[in-house]
Amino acid sequence: MGTFTVDADSTGSGRETWESFTDTWTDRMGDLYPLPEFSAATVEGFRGTMRSVTLEDTAVNEFQGSSSLSTRAVGTHEHDHIRLYVGLRGALTLEDPHDQGGDAHVPAGTYFMHHVVQENHFHSTPDSAIRIFIFPGDALRSLVSGRPRAGQADSPAAQVLMAHTTTVQRTVGHLGPAAAHASRNALLELARGLVLDHFDDREPAFTPALAQAARDLADARLADADLSPATVAAHLHVSLRTLQRAFARGEESFSTYIRRRRLEESAAALTARGARLTVSEAAARWHFTDSSHFIRAFRRQYGETPAHFARRQS
C-alpha cells in the first residue's frame, strides 16, 4: 500500500525523471503489473506528472503532462486484470485491444474498461491527462470479459467513483490496513457500479465519496442560478435526504457549503486585478437574493462588508 509520484515540473524532464518513475514502479508493482517498453520520444521528452496509488492488488495511476506517451514494445506475457481508463484532458488511444475489434479511443470526458489478457500498444496526445485504474481480474471479469464497456465520465456512478478516487489519492498515506482495505473494496464496488450504471447510495462506505462528488459538482456550477442541493441530488440520482445525510457528519451542510464557496468566489472577484466587480454585480453573479442579503452573508463569513473588504485588499 502507498503512493509514489514523479513530477517533471519539480525534478526536471526527460530520461532521468521518466526512469525515476519506471524504476519505482518496477520495484513496487512490477511483479503484478509489468510496464511495457516506451518509445524513445516518450522517455527523452517526458514532461508532466505521473502519480500512482496502490491498495493491495488495486492501483490508480494518473498522468498529467504536456508531452505524449507512446509504447514501443508491449511484451508477450499473459495478464488477468481489468483496466479502466478515464479521460480527463486530451485523448488516449489503445491500439486494437483483443476484445475490442479495432482501436479504442478515450477522449476527455469518457471512459473505457476492458479485461486485459495481453498487453497492447497505446499512445496519448500532447497536453493530456488520464486516470488508469488496474483491478484484479476475478473482481470484475464477469462483467467485462469479451464485452468492453465505454461511456461518459459524467454519469452519477462515474462521478462518485472519481470523487472516491480523489479522496484515496489524498489520504492513502494516512490509512491503516483496515481503512486501506475498505477503500480498495469501495473502489471495486464503485467500478462495478460504473458498469451497471448504478451505485448503492445506502452503503455507508460510499457516503464520503457521494459528499465529495456533490462538492465537485457545486464547485463547477457556482454561477448557475439553479444550483441547489435538490438539483445536485437529482443529477447524482439520489434522494435529497440521502445527499443531506452524506453531509450530516461533516462540519457544514451542503447548503452552507454552496453559500461559503459562492462567497469565496465573490471575495476573489471583488479583489481581482483589473476589472473588479461591484458589490451589486457580485451579488447578482452568485445569485444572492439582493445586495443586502449578500452584504449580510459576506459579513458573517469575513467579519466586514464586501466594500470594506475590497478596499482593504487594494
Side-chain angles (χ1 to χ4, degrees), residues 45-67:
F46 174 69
R47 291 197 63 83
T49 301
M50 296 285 290
R51 184 180 187 193
S52 296
V53 171
T54 58
L55 293 170
E56 301 174 359
D57 54 2
T58 296
V60 182
N61 311 295
E62 186 163 328
F63 166 73
Q64 299 195 36
S66 55
S67 64

Side-chain angles (χ1 to χ4, degrees), residues 16-30:
E16 184 176 353
T17 301
W18 179 260
E19 290 183 349
S20 175
F21 171 76
T22 56
D23 288 348
T24 306
W25 178 288
T26 300
D27 179 59
R28 299 193 185 188
M29 299 174 63

Side-chain angles (χ1 to χ4, degrees), residues 159-267:
Q159 290 185 76
V160 175
L161 169 62
M162 294 295 276
H164 178 66
T165 303
T166 298
T167 300
V168 168
Q169 289 174 322
R170 187 175 63 249
T171 63
V172 65
H174 306 288
L175 298 179
H181 184 69
S183 292
R184 175 263 188 193
N185 289 346
L187 276 174
L188 290 174
E189 287 303 312
L190 288 169
R192 184 175 290 110
L194 177 64
V195 175
L196 300 175
D197 196 26
H198 172 75
F199 69 96
D200 185 358
D201 58 27
R202 298 167 298 178
E203 171 55 55
F206 300 159
T207 296
L210 177 59
Q212 187 58 53
R215 293 187 195 99
D216 293 342
L217 274 171
D219 287 344
R221 301 180 179 189
L222 289 173
D224 290 0
D226 65 349
L227 174 64
S228 69
T231 59
V232 171
H235 184 90
L236 292 172
H237 294 184
V238 299
S239 70
L240 178 58
R241 183 175 181 181
T242 295
L243 184 60
Q244 290 170 333
R245 191 163 53 241
F247 284 83
R249 295 185 180 181
E251 296 180 355
E252 59 186 359
S253 68
F254 188 35
S255 294
T256 301
Y257 176 83
I258 293 172
R259 183 171 61 252
R260 175 173 64 80
R261 288 289 296 115
R262 281 177 160 169
L263 288 167
E264 288 172 351
E265 290 298 305
S266 68

Side-chain angles (χ1 to χ4, degrees), residues 94-115:
L94 308 175
E95 296 184 6
D96 198 24
H98 78 281
D99 50 1
Q100 170 72 4
D103 293 350
H105 302 286
V106 192
T110 70
Y111 71 85
F112 177 77
M113 182 191 294
H114 75 135
H115 180 214

Side-chain angles (χ1 to χ4, degrees), residues 3 79 118 173 193 217 262:
T3 181
H79 296 288
Q118 63 185 36
L217 274 171
R262 281 177 160 169

